[in-house]
Amino acid sequence: MNLLITGTNGFLGSSLVKKLQSNHNIYKLSYRENFPDIKTEILKFNPDFTIHCGWHGGNNYTDAYH
C-alpha cells in the first residue's frame, strides 16, 4: 500500500514511518524538506492513504537532540 505521511520529522510522523515502512511504500513529507514540484511527485507516487501528522509551530522531536 502507498502511504503519504506528513510531519515525518516530528515525533508522531517519524514513529509511524518506523512502524509502517517494512510493510508499505511510504512517501515522507516534512516542512523542512524542499520539493521543487510536490504536486507532480505526489501524483506520481499515487498514495492510497494520507496520514497527516504535521503542524506548524510547537515542539519538534528532532530539535530535542540538537
Side-chain angles (χ1 to χ4, degrees):
M1 181 180 307
N2 290 344
L3 301 175
L4 167 64
I5 302 178
T6 67
T8 56
N9 279 343
F11 177 74
L12 293 176
S14 64
S15 297
L16 275 174
V17 168
K18 287 177 187 175
K19 292 284 185 183
L20 299 174
Q21 67 185 353
S22 61
N23 297 321
H24 303 285
N25 299 317
I26 298 177
Y27 188 94
K28 298 182 283 186
L29 185 62
S30 177
Y31 176 74
R32 293 182 181 196
E33 296 173 8
N34 187 13
F35 296 99
D37 189 0
I38 192 167
K39 182 178 178 182
T40 301
E41 291 292 320
I42 291 172
L43 289 173
K44 201 171 13 173
F45 181 70
N46 192 24
D48 297 304
F49 291 97
T50 298
I51 303 172
H52 179 53
C53 298
W55 65 85
H56 190 274
N59 295 326
N60 189 316
Y61 180 65
T62 58
D63 289 342
Y65 299 101
H66 296 291

